Amino acid sequence: MKKWVVKALLVCLATGTFLSGVSAPPAMGAGATTSMKKNSQVSKPVSQPVHNMIIFNDYQVAGLDSGGWNWVKNDEFILPPETALDIDLVQTTYGSGTNLNRSEVLLDGVELPEYQTEQQSAQSTFRWQVPRFSIPAAKLSPGQHTLTFVVTDARSQKSTVHVRFQVEAQNFPSIFEGEKPEGEQVPSGSQTQIFGMMGSTSFASTVPGTWKLINKTTNAEIRSVPANVFSTGTLATGNYDLLFIPDDSSMSTWMTHIRVGMAELYVGTDASGQKLSQGQQITAPSAPGVVKLYSPVVGRWSVNGTGQTLTDSQHFEVVIPDMMAGMTMTVTFEPNQAANTNNLWGGSTIEVKIQVPGAPNSCDPASATATLDVLMQPNAKSTLMVERENLYSSNSTVKLYQNPVHVIWLATAAEHVERGSEASDDEGPGFWAVDNVVVDESKLNWDHTALLLSSYKPGRYKVNYYSKREPRQSWCGYIQVIEDSPPIPSAPACAKNEAGLAPAPGPILWKNNRGSEYRDGQTVIVNSAADLDSLRDLRLMSTYAKRNGNKKIKDGSGKDTITYYMPNLVWTYGEMPFGSSQDYIGGTISSKNKVQVFHEGKEIARFMPSTNEEEEDEGEESLDLKAIIADNENKPGVYTVKVTNVFSYKTCSIVQKDRKYGKELDERERDQTMTFTVEVK
């Protein structure tokens, strides 16, 4: 016997409402003829439309008693979960001539127009059995509902009946991942992911029942096991359904979809973008720029060698720095794998490559300001020794010999790798690239200040380094690792303090306190003394030699090694004093500048470094051109401001003379000038 029929034996009746608010008294069941207690409402007119019978899924929930009143079985009908509601209606209307019989249905007070029907007849009494219609389970959520039925005749008279009923909630068993019923429950209808080319998982239930594993592609049943714990066994890439049918028939069947395969990646913010496969290479739109990636599942994202990471996310924005032009970046995505699942082959990590458009930076020493050191460890029992120090960027190949190749580090600072001293780490952590491919973290040290060259096979490699602290601190060069003993040197070598880097000067310009700039060849026309206010606090922007502490220099080897310190000088661009000199004892580069002001070609002011060695050449912070013009009695005419920068750097070269090699030391100078004029009316 169906359980809603059993519940119907407990009669709980309520009132149906007729036309103009007239309600029918309750009755004792379908077709009841027992005398029923009337409420305070008036008798029902004989010609009023009426519902003769309302039936839910072959069970009558409303009808007429012997007095013509409707009885209704509220709260007696209980609909099982995920079950459609079939409805049968019989209703009667009265009239003369053309007779109309219209049926309308409302669910919880909201009209369902798709179920409105009507028929016409010439009969004065028109009894109509409305064709059966069904309300799908999707419209009937678990809980209490009220269906309202309205019958209307040709005179627009209506009769209304309300039927209240229950929809059962699904009663799923408690299912857990793993072999023990503990942790977080797996809801029915969920999806279980196994990331990899094949894998397995297991589930446990708190109640007895039967597990059924189905291949969705073929609809073939793979396994059927009566047990509380179930293991899928090894599943190949594909889609599967796992059902658990409890022995208790009052409980609902539980199901999960199992997907075995690699996680999916897309370009963009959702699955409508380009789908990516393992190892696929795409091209970034520009550098600098951003490449957006998406996965339908959450996981951990990282960009190898750059420090860009994000966890527990479906979306990731890969930041493309401008210095990465012409290089290839690798993005790694590792989906969050459930602890219970096992990927037996192929792994779960996906890698895609991003090719950055543009040409890679050349290894021009004028554009790369960092210096690197080389450290070697010949074997496991030897100590890590400094092989080269202060390597400048160059298109020339640096050859490193080791037989067999064991450990070779290319580092921003040797002492930092040896001792972890931050004080000696000038350039700091950086991005590294080998042959224009960004290096994975596995080939870098703990803080990305050194590259393990020995992790590559012997060969010649182009290496790029960009400081994360200051992108202008960069290095570019060619390193050849040779698995052999080093050749015997046959020529002298330039010492580390015998050559300096040639400058790559930026433009000279003046800035006032309002942010205005005055560049080479520019003319400013002044009509009054008030217009000179913008020329009172001019500050000079140019390239100059800047000291960043000292560098430790070692000459010789073994017992003959000499250690000393020399200024660590780099070319930099920014605001600097004018009429100043940057010259340090032992330095390989230096700079100085002078400023001249002319009126109609005649010099009226000069600022330049002092020739007295006992005086400091700190220069002036700002130029008050208005005051200089005032000192010249504000004479009209053309005033010219000229800046001259002088850059000096030591050079060392090995030359052959009379079948012998020798060193030639020199110091070169490079001048840079700019002028701008002020025309005073």
Side-chain angles (χ1 to χ4, degrees):
M1 181 180 293
K2 296 182 180 179
K3 58 184 174 181
W4 63 84
V5 177
V6 175
K7 293 180 181 180
L9 298 176
L10 302 175
V11 179
C12 178
L13 303 177
T15 302
T17 303
F18 292 96
L19 180 65
S20 303
V22 177
S23 298
M28 295 303 294
T33 58
T34 306
S35 176
M36 309 186 69
K37 183 178 179 180
K38 301 291 192 295
N39 56 22
S40 59
Q41 297 163 7
V42 298
S43 299
K44 174 185 180 309
V46 176
S47 62
Q48 179 178 318
V50 67
H51 290 91
N52 303 90
M53 185 181 299
I54 302 175
I55 298 174
F56 288 179
N57 286 13
D58 300 324
Y59 177 72
Q60 187 172 359
V61 294
L64 292 176
D65 64 13
S66 58
W69 294 92
N70 273 116
W71 53 262
V72 180
K73 293 182 177 180
N74 281 320
D75 299 325
E76 284 198 18
F77 182 79
I78 300 177
L79 187 68
E82 295 188 344
T83 304
L85 179 60
D86 296 332
I87 300 174
D88 294 292
L89 291 178
V90 178
Q91 57 191 37
T92 302
T93 57
Y94 303 91
S96 59
T98 300
N99 194 352
L100 176 70
N101 200 321
R102 178 185 298 135
S103 174
E104 300 170 76
V105 183
L106 294 84
L107 176 61
D108 297 328
V110 179
E111 184 178 359
L112 303 176
E114 62 270 32
Y115 303 123
Q116 178 177 318
T117 56
E118 64 178 50
Q119 280 279 16
Q120 291 184 354
S121 173
Q123 301 172 10
S124 60
T125 301
F126 181 22
R127 181 184 174 95
W128 182 36
Q129 182 172 339
V130 179
R132 172 179 285 195
F133 59 93
S134 297
I135 299 178
K139 288 190 175 184
L140 300 170
S141 59
Q144 189 179 79
H145 295 279
T146 299
L147 273 173
T148 301
F149 300 90
V150 182
V151 56
T152 308
D153 64 12
R155 294 173 294 178
S156 297
Q157 291 189 107
K158 298 178 184 291
S159 181
T160 302
V161 174
H162 306 277
V163 183
R164 193 168 60 245
F165 65 100
Q166 294 281 338
V167 177
E168 281 188 326
Q170 289 180 312
N171 181 19
F172 290 113
S174 297
I175 307 294
F176 302 84
E177 285 187 318
E179 297 181 354
K180 296 181 179 180
E182 57 188 26
E184 186 176 350
Q185 292 189 34
V186 181
S188 180
S190 63
Q191 178 165 287
T192 300
Q193 299 268 5
I194 301 177
F195 298 107
M197 303 306 293
M198 61 177 59
S200 66
T201 186
S202 57
F203 297 90
S205 171
T206 56
V207 298
T210 300
W211 303 87
K212 291 183 181 292
L213 182 63
I214 299 171
N215 187 323
K216 289 194 68 176
T217 303
T218 61
N219 284 328
E221 184 177 294
I222 300 174
R223 299 178 65 191
S224 179
V225 179
N228 286 61
V229 178
F230 177 78
S231 176
T232 62
T234 301
L235 300 176
T237 299
N239 293 282
Y240 306 84
D241 280 342
L242 177 62
L243 285 72
F244 179 74
I245 305 169
D247 291 344
D248 184 353
S249 61
S250 67
M251 303 185 75
S252 304
T253 299
W254 174 93
M255 183 185 69
T256 185
H257 304 282
I258 300 176
R259 178 185 177 273
V260 183
M262 302 302 293
E264 297 176 338
L265 289 187
Y266 299 87
V267 177
T269 57
D270 53 38
S272 64
Q274 176 189 356
K275 188 175 182 180
L276 303 176
S277 58
Q278 175 75 279
Q280 184 173 347
Q281 179 169 298
I282 59 175
T283 302
S286 62
V290 172
V291 175
K292 296 182 179 181
L293 299 176
Y294 166 79
S295 173
V297 296
V298 298
R300 182 184 186 275
W301 304 80
S302 63
V303 183
N304 292 353
T306 69
Q308 296 184 58
T309 58
L310 185 64
T311 58
D312 297 326
S313 178
Q314 293 178 250
H315 302 86
F316 188 58
E317 293 188 353
V318 183
V319 178
I320 311 292
D322 56 356
M323 76 279 291
M324 292 298 174
M327 297 190 180
T328 302
M329 305 171 68
T330 301
V331 180
T332 302
F333 175 72
E334 184 176 3
N336 291 355
Q337 182 84 277
N340 174 60
T341 57
N342 297 309
N343 50 327
L344 304 179
W345 179 70
S348 60
T349 300
I350 295 181
E351 288 188 353
V352 294
K353 300 182 183 301
I354 299 178
Q355 177 64 47
V356 183
N361 291 338
S362 64
C363 296
D364 178 10
S367 61
T369 57
T371 59
L372 300 184
D373 302 331
V374 177
L375 299 93
M376 285 190 177
Q377 183 182 359
N379 53 64
K381 295 183 179 180
S382 62
T383 58
L384 196 63
M385 301 292 292
V386 179
E387 176 72 15
R388 302 282 185 93
E389 279 191 317
N390 301 327
L391 285 177
Y392 290 98
S393 297
S394 174
N395 284 314
S396 301
T397 302
V398 176
K399 296 182 179 181
L400 303 175
Y401 294 85
Q402 199 176 65
N403 190 21
V405 173
H406 184 62
V407 172
I408 304 175
W409 287 101
L410 182 62
T412 58
E415 287 188 353
H416 182 70
V417 175
E418 291 178 300
R419 304 181 181 90
S421 171
E422 293 186 3
S424 64
D425 181 19
D426 298 322
E427 290 84 1
F431 306 110
W432 298 80
V434 172
D435 290 341
N436 300 325
V437 177
V438 178
V439 174
D440 182 86
E441 286 92 339
S442 63
K443 292 180 170 59
L444 304 177
N445 70 332
W446 69 94
D447 64 350
H448 298 188
T449 58
L451 168 66
L452 188 62
L453 283 170
S454 51
S455 62
Y456 295 88
K457 295 180 180 179
R460 181 176 181 268
Y461 302 97
K462 178 191 176 187
V463 179
N464 287 84
Y465 160 84
Y466 299 94
S467 173
K468 294 180 182 178
R469 297 175 182 169
E470 175 50 67
R472 284 183 295 180
Q473 286 275 16
S474 60
W475 190 91
C476 177
Y478 292 87
I479 304 289
Q480 185 173 2
V481 178
I482 302 172
E483 195 165 24
D484 199 355
S485 301
I488 299 174
S490 59
C494 291
K496 300 174 180 64
N497 64 335
E498 292 178 336
L501 190 66
I508 302 174
L509 57 90
W510 294 91
K511 278 188 175 182
N512 65 14
N513 54 12
R514 301 174 185 173
S516 298
E517 295 180 356
Y518 304 96
R519 295 177 176 265
D520 184 38
Q522 188 173 346
T523 299
V524 178
I525 298 176
V526 176
N527 295 311
S528 65
D531 294 339
L532 291 170
D533 287 343
S534 61
L535 303 174
R536 294 181 62 182
D537 186 15
L538 298 177
R539 296 180 181 267
L540 181 64
M541 302 288 292
S542 67
T543 299
Y544 62 100
K546 181 180 180 180
R547 179 173 183 170
N548 287 336
N550 295 323
K551 279 199 172 182
K552 188 177 181 180
I553 304 297
K554 293 181 180 180
D555 274 350
S557 60
K559 296 181 180 179
D560 298 326
T561 300
I562 300 174
T563 302
Y564 57 95
Y565 290 86
M566 61 177 289
N568 180 29
L569 301 175
V570 295
W571 294 112
T572 189
Y573 181 85
E575 181 179 327
M576 65 166 297
F578 57 90
S580 63
S581 174
Q582 297 79 39
D583 192 1
Y584 303 90
I585 297 175
T588 57
I589 63 174
S590 63
S591 64
K592 60 184 178 180
N593 67 66
K594 68 177 180 180
V595 175
Q596 298 167 277
V597 182
F598 302 87
H599 177 250
E600 297 294 336
K602 179 181 178 181
E603 184 176 287
I604 60 175
R606 174 183 293 188
F607 306 86
M608 61 185 302
S610 172
T611 57
N612 188 342
E613 295 181 356
E614 297 180 358
E615 294 182 8
E616 295 184 1
D617 298 326
E618 295 182 351
E620 303 289 336
E621 290 186 0
S622 63
L623 177 69
D624 191 345
L625 187 56
K626 179 178 180 180
I628 294 174
I629 294 174
D631 290 342
N632 196 43
E633 300 177 351
N634 288 321
K635 294 179 181 178
V638 176
Y639 290 82
T640 303
V641 180
K642 180 179 180 181
V643 182
T644 303
N645 263 357
V646 180
F647 308 102
S648 302
Y649 56 99
K650 294 180 180 180
T651 62
C652 174
S653 58
I654 307 300
V655 296
Q656 184 179 9
K657 292 182 179 179
D658 300 327
R659 298 183 180 180
K660 294 182 180 180
Y661 290 95
K663 285 195 296 187
E664 284 189 357
L665 304 178
D666 196 6
E667 185 171 0
R668 297 182 182 178
E669 284 190 355
R670 181 184 296 179
D671 291 349
Q672 181 189 26
T673 63
M674 73 84 69
T675 60
F676 84 96
T677 59
V678 178
E679 186 177 344
V680 179
K681 296 294 185 178

